[in-house]
Amino acid sequence: MAIDEEQIRNWLMEEDLIREKIYDENANFHYIINFPNNNSMDIIQPRAKEDVLLIGCATEVSQDEQNIIKNSPKNINQEFIWKIRFALNEMLLDFELEHPNDQLKRFIITEDIFEDALTKHMLIKSIKKVFKGKLQCIWILGKTYGSIQNRNVNDDEII
């Protein structure tokens, strides 16, 4: 059984989340939502899997943060990537990290809801969960590199 787009759209409208519907050749429908406020997320019903709804959020690391990461010791960068992996895995979220040379450039967090479990409650709960995963990554990034940025020390002084 296919997921009912009208029902999904109605739930998103009831919560005032829809920003726009976009064309996606790989999806039966694809909405960009604002949650919370101006943070954009995707709600996608993939053409290849008619019984699943995908909630996702892609985040680009800012150029300033990328520069801090690039200038940080390799062991700090490697530990940061592992912290992100463990945190998102613990939240039972799917994710993809783009981190050439252990330097995080972008991350994508997703969660699937299958048709037999799809309710408004599950949809909103999944949207919140994906956002909390993004927030977790931002917090780990700030904790890891904010302390390095604020300490003017040489690489060999960081233990």
Side-chain angles (χ1 to χ4, degrees), residues 112-129:
D112 299 336
I113 306 174
F114 286 89
E115 183 270 331
D116 58 347
L118 185 58
T119 62
K120 180 180 178 183
H121 173 76
M122 184 58 73
L123 174 62
I124 302 304
K125 190 173 181 177
S126 293
I127 290 169
K128 288 179 178 182
K129 184 178 176 184

Side-chain angles (χ1 to χ4, degrees), residues 47-108:
R47 197 175 298 271
K49 288 277 289 175
E50 297 206 357
D51 67 336
V52 71
L53 191 66
L54 180 70
I55 294 88
C57 185
T59 305
E60 301 284 332
V61 177
S62 75
Q63 193 58 55
D64 287 344
E65 290 167 326
Q66 285 185 40
N67 290 338
I68 292 168
I69 293 169
K70 184 177 181 178
N71 293 316
S72 295
K74 187 169 182 61
N75 66 321
I76 298 289
N77 294 344
Q78 288 173 337
E79 185 164 331
F80 166 68
I81 296 296
W82 280 108
K83 283 179 183 176
I84 295 285
R85 287 176 177 144
F86 289 138
L88 294 175
N89 191 59
E90 194 171 286
M91 295 177 76
L92 303 178
L93 289 164
D94 296 321
F95 58 92
E96 180 182 322
L97 305 177
E98 185 181 320
H99 59 95
N101 300 314
D102 296 313
Q103 297 172 18
L104 188 65
K105 306 274 186 217
R106 176 180 153 168
F107 55 93
I108 301 169

